[in-house]
């Protein structure tokens, strides 16, 4: 593999965002993943989302662990800082990075192996702290990079290429996140960019922990018949329960939405998420209802997608701790201690 | 014969009975009389019920190490009578609670056993079980004060300071003290021939433990992110940092914090947080102990290769495995020096006492940012949790923190192209940029193979180029790290090397040996990699004793490995039973070695 800088050719007439940048400006180096890998489609959706949001590239921090999925931050927004950490530990690095600088926008990209096995502890604790980040799991049911072993998200009955079936309960990141109290929980499919881009935009602008679990098939090790994470299986069984539009702060809500089926939710950045319920009875603001619905449908073999739960009222990590608004990393050091005389006073207690 | 200001008091109590404040009172009162004093805790890995001891060494000469003898034992715990009795030096004294008939265990002809009915007094005078237990502890302070001639006025003023807002507490505490004091005066000849006397040995000194000093140092260094997972004996470091930040890092108007302490889910997460924060430009640190270092290893190697500053305090305790969590050792040298897989080696700092914990906290942040690498401060339980007398900490107003080679937005703007891992200056240290500063500063941080331009690589030459450059940085580190403390006289042919908490015992031992006509030169190492001064010191001697507190001579191994010291010269003197090292150990070993024919 090598590091190839892609030429950034722009065409007149291509759309620009509010910063005057083209989608091309949000690209990264050329992917070295297998042709057809779901992860590359997720990369494309991320590029589209940050382009549409008009994110300043250098204000975005791309965090990841280890795996095919975790390599992808190299393939989008070259002008952003990236931190490709160690296996399963992206959440802690992001937590610390965020602690130091709360002004950056954090996107963590990880795999089902990275987040549900070796890193499951860090995954759940990042939720518990409500770290302000967009947490993308590129979920393919296998360890792609180590050549196709089952991951903890493999469904019961799902088969390997050789035909062995998994018989252990899967860990579902979405229901895990609901039970832990994550504040933005979505599921998408790498093959449905139209649905995925707004889910990512909502997740990136949400204040607090936003999980986007994305079924992202591994064409090399888990796209055969009998796999429940293949393109074919996902296409056949997936259901949008909601669709969302993300309306930025500067724009008005123009489209008319039918009463009862839509729900506008104000975001902290001033934007709005307009949520269209495909199933009228679905209530994405109730943890209990979301959990029940999800369990029922997944027992029926369906893969439920969309924005599944949202709570904009909860405080994120810095608010919970009562930290100053200025990024801690930008505070001048000489203002962080009380100086010579006070050091004398402090020591009176040591006499 | 009367001995003045050279007495060791040991107090045996039960964990969780509040004896710590009584012991602190005693130690402080002696200190306030101007007499140098140290306090050591010997405590169990337990919250309540097991035996615990506090040892106060009144040390007019100012030596800080454990004395390895007990002159006056305060045996308040019947469970440990036998052991406590056996420890007293011939000619010494033992006080016990004589409310109950004297135990048949408490018999020794060569010491004086003094019974004082502490429980009976306290049951008569105080209400409630808890108060009675607490007051019983305070009462022995009174008895010891009478026996050793400690100034009661000083004790009174200490109580007044402690209970400034609870005046009734002063009265009841004083009452308990008087009970012990008066009883001792009425029933024994006070003071004992071994006693204290006011002197002028504590001016400009404080008594502090290393963890408090390190926590204070982190606050003064401007650390803003601290991540940790509780582990003895490092926990009180973060407690101290939190207390100091609570006092000095809260905006008086908004109540908002300029610090962020995260109690992580484990040490893997703690170090991950430290790296994330440091990558973003914050001074961040984690305190831990040996088991934590084991868990952090993967990330420590990452930080070495991706060149991220990180400050780690390892307050060492006895290993292997869980070992003895409340006992001291210097047993993590090798696991810290070479933490993580692959070719890694790390900068270590060795504070010898709490004052150095304070100053080295600053050095650690400076070095981590200058060298863009993890820096580990290797303290230990003896330094971290015991009460040492050290010179008052001084803040140098001219101190300028070393933030290392961090490019500003203006510098980046002017650059044609920024490459993260390029050795522009030839010192092996590249320039770094912080996220969010400038689009031109963006780079991809990775633990996988990378070229000097920061790109992913699997190319042999490009890979090797970077890890070879890290060796250049290593040599830079060797030059700029704190120098060893050396005492050298041409007359002496034999040298002695130690580090960290070995210092106090060795300094005392060298004085003792000198008074017997045996002169040794001394080198107390402050950092790894070792500077040329250490190499020279070894070269200057035919025999060099290496005194350390672990079984496997880890410092000696590092000396052989890092500076190719002649191993035939390096004679290991190893103390590793979990107790702090003492000067007698060093003296005896040196004498035994020289008797074997090694020159001294
Ligand atoms: C500590 C450690 N153990 C094992 C590995 C090997 N390893 C690399 S990637 C991976 C699994 C990745 O699976 P997943 O996160 O699902 O990513 P995918 O490749 O499927 O996208 C493993 C086990 C490693 N890099 N580090
Ligand atoms: S192995 Fe699977 S997950 Fe990895 S790049 Fe190939 S298709 Fe994608
Ligand atoms: Mg996977």
């Amino acid at each position: 593999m090598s590091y190839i800088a892609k030429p950034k050719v722009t065409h007149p007439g291509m759309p620009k965002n509010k910063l005057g940048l083209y989608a091309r400006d949000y690209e990264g180096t050329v992917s070295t993943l297998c042709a057809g890998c779901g992860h590359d489609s997720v990369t494309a959706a991320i590029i589209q989302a940050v382009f549409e949001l008009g994110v300043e590239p250098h204000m975005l921090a791309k965090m990841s662990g280890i795996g095919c999925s975790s390599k992808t931050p190299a393939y989008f927004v070259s002008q952003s800082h990236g931190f490709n950490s160690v296996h399963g530990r992206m959440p802690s690095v992001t937590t610390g990075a965020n602690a130091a600088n709360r002004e950056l926008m954090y996107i963590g990209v990880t795999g089902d192996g990275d987040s549900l096995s070796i890193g499951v502890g860090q995954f759940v604790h990042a939720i518990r702290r409500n770290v302000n980040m967009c947490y993308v799991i590129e979920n393919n049911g296998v360890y792609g990079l180590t050549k196709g072993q089952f991951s903890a998200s493999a469904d019961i009955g799902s088969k390997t290429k050789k035909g062995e079936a998994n018989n252990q309960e899967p860990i579902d990141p979405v229901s895990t996140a609901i039970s832990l109290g994550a504040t933005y929980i979505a599921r998408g499919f790498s093959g449905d960019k139209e649905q995925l881009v707004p889910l990512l935009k909502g997740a990136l602008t949400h204040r607090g922990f936003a999980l986007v679990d994305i079924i992202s098939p591994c064409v090399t090790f888990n796209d055969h018949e009998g796999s429940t994470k293949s393109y074919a299986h996902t296409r056949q069984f997936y259901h949008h329960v909601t669709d969302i539009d993300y309306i930025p702060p500067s724009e008005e809500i123009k489209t008319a939405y039918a009463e009862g089926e839509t729900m506008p939710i104000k975001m902290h950045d001033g934007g709005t998420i307009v949520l269209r319920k495909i199933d009228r009875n679905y209530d994405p603001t109730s943890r209990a209802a979301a959990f029940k619905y999800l369990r029922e449908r997944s027992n029926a073999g369906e893969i439920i997608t969309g924005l599944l739960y949202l709570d904009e009222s909860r405080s994120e990590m810095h608010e919970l701790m009562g930290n100053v608004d200025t990024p801690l990393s930008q505070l001048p050091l000489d203002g962080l201690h009380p100086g010579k005389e006070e050091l004398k006073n402090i020591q009176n207690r040591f006499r | 014969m009367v001995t003045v200001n050279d007495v060791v008091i040991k107090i045996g109590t039960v964990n969780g009975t509040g004896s710590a404040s009584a012991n602190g009172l005693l130690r402080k009162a002696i200190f306030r009389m101007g007499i140098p004093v140290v306090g050591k805790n010997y405590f169990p890995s337990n919250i309540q019920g097991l035996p615990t001891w506090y040892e106060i060494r009144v040390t007019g000469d100012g030596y800080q190490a454990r004395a390895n003898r007990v002159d006056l034992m305060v045996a308040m715990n019947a469970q440990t009578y036998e052991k406590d009795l056996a420890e007293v030096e011939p000619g010494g004294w033992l006080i016990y609670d004589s409310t109950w008939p004297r135990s048949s265990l408490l018999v020794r002809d060569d010491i004086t056993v003094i019974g004082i009915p502490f429980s009976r007094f306290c049951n008569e005078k105080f209400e409630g079980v808890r108060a009675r237990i607490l007051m019983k502890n305070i009462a022995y302070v009174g008895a010891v004060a009478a026996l050793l001639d400690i100034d009661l006025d000083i004790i009174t003023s200490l109580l007044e300071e402690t209970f400034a807002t609870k005046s009734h507490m002063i009265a009841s505490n004083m009452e308990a003290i008087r009970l012990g004091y008066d009883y001792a005066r009425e029933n024994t000849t006070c003071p004992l021939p071994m006693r204290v006397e006011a002197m002028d040995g504590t001016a400009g000194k404080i008594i502090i433990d290393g963890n408090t000093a390190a926590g204070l140092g982190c606050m003064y260094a401007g650390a803003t992110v601290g991540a940790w997972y509780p582990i003895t004996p490092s926990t009180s470091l973060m407690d101290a940092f939190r207390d100091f930040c609570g006092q000095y890092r809260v905006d008086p108007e908004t109540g908002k914090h300029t610090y962020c302490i995260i109690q992580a889910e484990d040490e893997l997460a703690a170090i991950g947080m430290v790296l994330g924060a440091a990558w973003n430009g914050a001074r961040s640190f984690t305190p831990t102990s040996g088991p934590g270092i084991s868990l952090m290893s993967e990330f420590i190697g990452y930080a070495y290769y991706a060149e991220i500053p990180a400050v780690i305090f390892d307050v060492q305790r006895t290993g292997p495995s869980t070992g003895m969590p409340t006992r001291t050792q210097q047993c993590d040298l090798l696991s810290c020096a070479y933490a993580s897989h692959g070719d890694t080696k790390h900068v270590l700092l060795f504070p010898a006492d709490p004052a150095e914990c304070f100053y080295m906290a600053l050095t650690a942040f400076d070095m981590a940012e200058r060298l863009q690498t993890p820096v580990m401060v290797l303290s230990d339980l003896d330094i971290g949790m015991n009460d040492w007398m050290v010179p008052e900490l001084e803040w140098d107003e001219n101190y300028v923190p070393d933030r290392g080679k961090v490019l500003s937005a203006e510098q980046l703007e002017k650059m044609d192209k920024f490459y993260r891992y390029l050795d522009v200056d030839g010192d092996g240290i590249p320039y770094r940029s912080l996220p969010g500063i400038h689009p031109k500063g963006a780079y991809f941080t990775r633990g996988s193979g990378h070229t000097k331009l920061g790109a992913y690589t699997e190319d042999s030459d490009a890979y090797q180029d970077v890890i070879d450059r890290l060796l250049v940085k290593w040599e830079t580190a060797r030059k700029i790290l704190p120098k060893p403390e050396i005492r050298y006289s041409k007359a002496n042919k034999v040298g002695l090397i130690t580090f960290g908490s070995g210092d106090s015992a060795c300094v005392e031992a060298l004085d003792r040996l000198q008074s017997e006509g045996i002169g040794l030169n001394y080198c107390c190492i402050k950092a790894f990699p070792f500077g040329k001064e250490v190499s020279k010191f070894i070269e200057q001697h035919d025999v060099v004793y290496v005194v350390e507190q672990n079984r496997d001579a880890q410092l000696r191994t590092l000396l052989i490995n890092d500076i190719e010291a002649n191993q035939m010269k390096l004679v290991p003197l190893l103390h590793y039973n979990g107790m702090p090292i003492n000067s007698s150990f060093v003296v005896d070993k040196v004498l035994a070695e020289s008797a074997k024919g090694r020159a001294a």
Side-chain angles (χ1 to χ4, degrees):
Chain A
M1 279 178 277
S2 63
Y3 179 92
I4 311 159
K6 231 194 301 190
K8 292 200 166 38
V9 194
T10 51
H11 301 283
M14 259 170 62
K16 287 189 197 174
N17 66 11
K18 66 179 185 195
L19 299 175
L21 296 175
Y22 299 99
R24 271 280 166 101
D25 296 318
Y26 290 89
E27 288 180 353
T29 56
V30 171
S31 166
T32 57
L33 302 183
C34 306
C37 174
H39 302 350
D40 280 336
S41 310
V42 179
T43 298
I46 292 172
I47 291 172
Q48 188 65 23
V50 290
F51 161 70
E52 288 179 15
L53 286 174
V55 174
E56 284 181 89
H58 71 289
M59 295 304 284
L60 178 72
K62 310 173 295 181
M63 319 300 284
S64 63
I66 295 289
C68 297
S69 35
S70 292
K71 288 182 174 186
T72 63
Y75 313 143
F76 60 86
V77 208
S78 286
Q79 292 193 67
S80 293
H81 275 256
F83 196 128
N84 180 202
S85 70
V86 296
H87 197 17
R89 317 294 171 207
M90 175 275 284
S92 63
V93 177
T94 312
T95 303
N98 193 311
N101 188 347
R102 59 190 294 181
E103 275 178 359
L104 301 180
M105 180 181 266
Y106 293 91
I107 182 164
V109 183
T110 164
D112 41 330
D114 204 54
S115 275
L116 303 179
S117 286
I118 191 167
V120 70
Q122 300 212 340
F123 169 57
V124 303
H125 283 276
I127 294 178
R128 180 169 171 262
R129 293 188 185 96
N130 205 16
V131 178
N132 187 10
M133 68 179 297
C134 168
Y135 195 107
V136 174
I137 302 183
E138 300 183 346
N139 191 342
N140 54 15
V142 287
Y143 295 178
L145 196 58
T146 50
K147 297 190 182 283
Q149 302 82 359
F150 275 131
S151 81
S153 75
D155 295 303
I156 289 187
S158 188
K159 291 201 175 101
T160 61
K161 264 182 147 173
K162 287 183 188 155
E164 299 143 23
N166 169 52
N167 58 11
Q168 295 177 35
E169 272 291 330
I171 298 177
D172 169 27
V174 165
S175 25
T176 306
I178 293 176
S179 72
L180 291 167
T183 46
Y184 180 109
I185 304 169
R187 188 187 281 135
F189 171 38
S190 65
D192 188 347
K193 192 173 173 187
E194 209 174 314
Q195 183 197 32
L196 191 52
V197 171
L199 289 177
L200 287 166
K201 284 160 76 177
L204 286 161
T205 49
H206 169 70
R207 189 183 62 183
F209 188 93
L211 172 70
V212 189
D213 175 35
I214 305 170
I215 309 299
S216 174
C218 169
V219 289
T220 305
F221 299 110
N222 205 13
D223 196 32
H224 45 270
E225 218 181 305
S227 157
T228 60
K229 293 276 193 296
S230 66
Y231 279 111
H233 183 94
T234 310
R235 287 217 171 87
Q236 189 179 347
F237 292 99
Y238 96 118
H239 284 277
H240 291 205
V241 62
T242 64
D243 273 330
I244 65 165
D245 292 329
Y246 171 80
I247 320 276
S250 53
E251 277 174 37
E252 273 176 64
I253 304 174
K254 295 194 196 94
T255 332
Y257 294 103
E259 184 71 25
E261 282 158 11
T262 64
M263 219 170 128
I265 303 168
K266 210 76 199 136
M267 306 291 282
H268 277 281
D269 69 340
T272 310
I273 279 183
V274 178
L275 184 134
R276 277 169 282 129
K277 302 182 189 177
I278 310 294
D279 181 333
R280 274 190 79 123
N281 298 320
Y282 189 74
D283 180 3
T285 61
S286 156
R287 263 164 90 176
F291 193 83
K292 181 164 179 282
Y293 186 91
L294 220 77
R295 295 315 311 161
E296 281 170 8
R297 294 307 176 92
S298 104
N299 287 344
E302 282 180 14
I303 302 162
I304 298 304
T305 62
L307 177 55
L308 303 172
Y309 178 71
L310 179 61
D311 179 359
E312 276 289 293
S313 70
R314 283 257 314 280
S315 303
E316 55 76 61
M317 181 177 75
H318 285 279
E319 292 161 338
L320 290 167
M321 291 183 163
N323 296 339
V324 291
D325 300 333
T326 316
L328 296 177
S329 60
Q330 288 168 20
L331 299 169
L333 294 192
D334 54 8
L336 291 174
H337 64 77
K340 190 177 172 72
E341 276 313 302
E342 195 57 27
L343 184 59
K344 282 198 163 47
N345 295 335
I346 290 172
Q347 293 178 82
N348 285 335
R349 73 183 84 152
F350 305 131
R351 284 195 180 89
Chain B
M1 202 185 77
V2 175
T3 314
V4 176
N5 293 343
D6 181 12
V7 51
V8 180
I9 312 153
K10 187 165 180 177
I11 302 142
T13 52
V14 176
N15 209 22
T17 56
S19 51
S21 42
N23 299 337
L25 184 63
L26 203 49
R27 195 240 312 131
K28 276 195 172 183
I30 298 167
F31 181 78
R32 290 264 177 113
M33 290 176 72
I35 310 163
V37 63
V38 277
K40 307 248 184 227
N41 290 289
Y42 307 116
F43 59 104
S45 184
N46 159 269
I47 302 301
Q48 209 175 53
L50 288 185
T52 181
W53 291 268
Y54 190 68
E55 193 176 281
I56 296 172
R57 179 179 181 191
V58 181
T59 160
D61 296 328
Y63 294 125
Q64 299 289 299
R66 183 167 79 98
N68 202 33
R69 64 164 216 270
V70 176
D71 302 310
L72 171 60
M73 177 70 78
V74 184
M76 299 299 286
N77 181 1
Q79 290 174 64
T80 58
Y81 273 173
E82 198 174 352
K83 183 173 162 29
D84 292 348
L85 183 84
E87 255 190 78
V88 181
E89 283 289 294
W93 295 265
L94 179 140
I95 306 175
Y96 75 104
D97 186 348
S98 59
T99 304
W100 298 279
R102 177 159 156 184
S103 158
S104 60
L105 294 172
L106 291 180
V107 182
R108 239 183 90 176
D109 299 337
D110 58 343
I111 66 166
T112 311
V113 176
I114 304 167
I116 301 180
F118 294 112
S119 297
R120 181 162 60 77
F121 289 158
C122 293
N123 291 350
E124 285 164 9
K125 292 277 177 184
F126 303 105
E127 285 303 321
V129 181
R130 185 77 193 151
R132 283 170 178 169
I133 294 174
L134 291 177
M135 289 308 166
K136 197 171 81 174
N137 290 334
I138 295 295
Y140 70 64
V141 173
V144 173
L147 291 168
L148 297 182
D149 210 11
I150 297 170
D151 192 338
L152 264 197
D153 291 344
I154 290 182
I155 294 184
T156 315
S157 63
L158 278 167
L159 284 173
E160 282 165 359
E161 286 168 29
T162 312
F163 300 113
T165 53
K166 299 177 199 156
S167 50
H168 66 283
M169 292 294 288
I170 304 173
S172 55
N173 274 272
M174 264 331 280
E175 190 176 359
I177 283 178
R178 277 240 88 103
L179 289 172
Y181 189 84
D182 293 344
Y183 188 93
R185 305 251 324 188
E186 282 154 25
N187 297 281
T188 34
T189 337
C190 287
L192 301 176
M194 192 171 255
R195 58 181 175 79
V196 303
E197 196 175 281
M199 61 181 277
D200 187 18
T202 60
K205 300 279 168 47
I206 55 164
I207 293 217
I208 191 170
D209 64 80
N211 286 349
T212 303
L216 186 60
C218 290
M219 195 264 282
Y220 266 80
T224 49
V225 178
W228 69 303
Y229 188 78
I231 183 167
T232 304
S234 74
T235 301
S236 54
L237 199 163
M238 194 54 104
D239 290 344
F241 181 70
R242 180 185 288 106
D243 287 350
F244 290 122
C245 286
Q247 209 176 341
Y248 298 106
R249 293 282 197 82
V250 180
D251 187 305
E253 271 159 40
T254 61
K256 288 188 176 176
H257 299 176
T258 57
Y259 66 97
C260 182
I261 297 172
I262 310 177
Q263 186 181 320
E265 53 272 31
D266 53 34
E267 286 88 347
L268 289 84
I271 185 70
M273 290 168 190
V274 168
L275 295 194
W279 176 75
N280 251 341
R283 287 197 152 181
S284 56
F285 71 99
T286 182
T288 188
S289 191
I293 296 291
S294 296
L295 287 187
M296 291 178 189
S297 289
E298 187 184 18
F299 256 135
I300 293 173
Y302 182 98
Y304 170 79
Y305 191 33
E307 303 182 62
I308 301 174
V311 171
I312 300 164
F313 292 88
D314 176 5
V315 187
Q316 299 166 94
R317 64 188 217 183
T318 307
S321 191
T322 303
M324 297 194 285
T326 59
R327 296 287 181 266
T328 196
Q329 253 182 8
Q330 298 175 309
C331 52
D332 299 340
L333 249 73
L334 290 174
S335 69
C336 287
Y338 300 114
S340 208
H341 53 278
D343 285 323
T344 62
K345 37 189 173 184
H346 311 290
V347 172
L348 312 179
L349 297 177
F350 306 125
D353 63 25
E356 289 195 345
C357 287
F358 175 80
Y359 298 116
M360 280 192 182
L362 293 148
T363 312
F365 285 105
D366 285 352
M367 287 298 140
E369 291 191 317
R370 162 63 35 194
L371 296 164
Q372 300 176 21
T373 200
V375 171
M376 290 180 248
V377 185
L378 266 69
S379 170
D380 60 28
L381 185 142
D382 186 18
I383 298 175
M385 292 187 71
N386 287 328
D387 304 310
W388 295 57
M389 189 183 81
V390 295
E392 187 180 304
L393 306 174
E394 293 267 5
W395 182 249
D396 175 4
E397 277 180 322
N398 299 318
Y399 166 71
V400 181
D402 189 346
R403 307 304 310 262
K405 300 182 189 179
V406 179
L407 294 169
S408 66
E410 296 72 40
Q411 287 170 308
L412 283 162
E413 177 61 41
K414 281 193 214 128
M415 289 177 94
D416 199 23
K417 192 145 176 35
F418 162 67
Y419 294 110
R420 171 69 179 90
Y421 295 111
L422 210 54
D423 183 8
V424 181
D425 303 329
D427 57 2
I429 307 169
Y431 284 80
R432 75 178 179 128
S433 62
L434 302 178
I437 297 301
H438 195 281
K440 277 193 189 167
Y443 69 95
F444 201 74
T445 308
R446 47 162 71 83
S448 45
H450 44 270
T451 69
K452 62 182 176 190
L453 304 182
Y456 180 88
T457 192
E458 292 180 11
D459 178 85
S460 305
D461 292 342
Y463 158 79
Q464 206 168 317
D465 195 44
V466 173
I467 55 156
D468 284 345
R469 195 258 304 154
L470 288 170
L471 285 180
V472 177
K473 178 156 92 175
W474 186 248
E475 293 310 312
T476 300
R478 191 188 300 288
K479 286 186 206 119
I480 64 174
L481 288 169
K483 306 266 170 277
E485 185 199 320
I486 289 178
R487 299 185 195 177
Y488 181 80
S489 153
K490 259 202 152 135
N492 300 330
K493 298 285 164 264
V494 175
L496 185 147
I497 288 181
T498 194
F499 74 105
S501 62
D503 178 51
S504 56
C506 288
V507 166
E508 185 178 347
L510 293 187
D511 286 356
R512 286 174 56 185
L513 287 163
Q514 187 72 62
S515 68
E516 292 178 35
I518 301 171
L520 274 78
N521 289 330
Y522 181 57
C523 169
C524 183
I525 295 177
K526 304 289 176 186
F528 173 78
F530 307 118
K532 62 175 190 313
E533 300 81 4
V534 178
S535 309
K536 186 173 165 207
F537 184 85
I538 296 173
E539 278 158 23
Q540 284 169 326
H541 299 94
D542 303 329
V543 174
V544 177
Y545 295 113
V546 183
V547 180
E548 48 184 317
Q549 296 170 68
N550 57 69
R551 186 194 66 183
D552 291 343
Q554 299 189 25
L555 176 63
R556 182 174 178 272
T557 303
L558 278 187
L559 288 166
I560 294 165
N561 213 23
D562 183 54
I563 51 175
E564 296 181 15
N566 178 353
Q567 64 181 73
M568 303 307 288
K569 284 186 180 182
L570 303 178
V571 182
L573 301 188
L574 307 170
H575 186 280
Y576 51 92
N577 63 10
M579 295 299 267
I581 189 170
N582 59 80
S583 64
S584 300
F585 169 84
V586 182
V587 169
D588 294 350
K589 286 284 179 188
V590 168
L591 293 177
E593 287 295 334
S594 38
K596 272 198 246 164
R598 297 200 207 264

